[in-house]
Structures are given as structure tokens and as C-alpha cells.
Amino acid sequence: MTSLLILNGPNLNLLGQRQPEVYGATTLADIERLCEAKAKALGLAIEFAQSNDEAVMIDLIHKARGRHDGIILNAGAYTHTSIALMDAISSVALPVIELHLSNIHAREDFRHTSYIAKVALGVICGFGASGYPMAIEALNEALK
Ligand code: DQA
């Protein structure tokens, strides 16, 4: 069975309370339920994770090798800063979809740079929580 890691980075544990005008009212637990439903409909297995710690995220990416077929990554602000996360993705050689709730290109200039995009299969941003099931569908298609 195809298996996907859905990995969320810093501050995404506060979704629903955090800047709802930017990120919406949906909580991370709601998003996990959306992902479970989408995965079930497509016959996929998923592991859903969140960490505020860059090192923990790197370890989860390393552990995905041999356990998962692809990764959906909302790296939060580490998207714009972390060469280490970019290198972790290159190291495991799994297909990655970069995901953001907000349209990072319509926001501050510092959000226009993404280290993740340089090694990602594709990028989905600006569709709020709906981006997660979109990314699951896109990655599933890419893995066929
Ligand atoms: C985000 C966008 C990032 O720029 C920001 O730092 C986040 C959330 C998003 O999902 O829109 O933490 O990744």
C-alpha cells in the first residue's frame, strides 16, 4: 500500500488560534481528519506529524526512507531558511510536495524564497486546509 508522510513544521500546532485571518479557523486536528478521509478514499496509508524542532523534522524525513513512498511538507518558516531540511530531502530521494496554507508569493518578500521548492516535485499554496487533500491526490498521481 502506498504510504505518505505528512509533515508539519513550526507554529502549525497553533492553527485555528494563530492569525486566523491568514491561516483560517481550521485546526491541525481538523486537517489530520481531512487527510485521513482523503487517504482512505484513495486507499493510501498516511503518517501525520508536527514538530516545532528542525532537528526532529530532519529525523522524521530520514526515517521516511523505506517506510513511506513520498512526503507532503509544510515546513512553516523553515521553508524560507533551512538548507538542512533541503539537504534532508535530497538525501532520502523521496518525492516531496511543498505545501502552504497561505499564498506565500502574495506575502512579505522573505516568504518568496523557498529552499524546499528547489528539491520538491511541486508546490501547492494559497488554498488553506484544502491544499492538504489536493497534495495527497497530486502525490498519489505522481507515484502511479
Ligand atoms: C506557512 C507559510 C510560512 O511562510 C509561515 O512561516 C508558516 C505557515 C503556510 O502554511 O502558509 O508558518 O507555511
Side-chain angles (χ1 to χ4, degrees):
M1 184 188 258
T2 300
S3 180
L4 308 180
L5 171 63
I6 303 171
L7 179 56
N8 296 281
N11 303 307
L12 294 168
N13 54 311
L14 295 182
L15 282 179
Q17 307 160 41
R18 174 195 183 199
Q19 295 176 275
E21 70 286 1
V22 178
Y23 298 115
T26 313
T27 66
L28 196 63
D30 294 332
I31 291 176
E32 184 170 2
R33 279 189 286 275
L34 273 179
C35 290
E36 293 285 359
K38 187 69 182 180
K40 195 173 172 194
L42 294 174
L44 305 172
I46 58 165
E47 175 185 352
F48 194 90
Q50 188 274 332
S51 178
N52 292 320
D53 185 330
E54 189 177 12
V56 172
M57 292 178 70
I58 290 167
D59 286 341
L60 284 167
I61 291 169
H62 291 175
K63 283 187 196 136
R65 189 165 47 173
R67 293 174 61 185
H68 298 292
D69 301 293
I71 301 173
I72 293 165
L73 177 60
N74 184 347
Y78 291 144
T79 305
H80 319 299
T81 61
S82 182
I83 296 168
L85 276 175
M86 177 184 77
D87 283 351
I89 292 165
S90 300
S91 305
V92 298
L94 287 170
V96 171
I97 293 193
E98 174 184 343
L99 176 65
H100 302 283
L101 295 140
S102 62
N103 178 358
I104 55 173
H105 301 289
R107 300 182 64 194
E108 303 96 322
D109 284 355
F110 63 83
R111 294 187 206 276
H112 300 175
T113 297
S114 168
Y115 286 101
I116 309 302
K118 296 179 192 303
V119 290
L121 190 63
V123 181
I124 294 175
C125 72
F127 296 100
S130 311
Y132 283 78
M134 284 179 197
I136 291 173
E137 192 153 343
L139 193 46
N140 183 46
E141 283 301 317
L143 286 166
K144 277 183 184 165

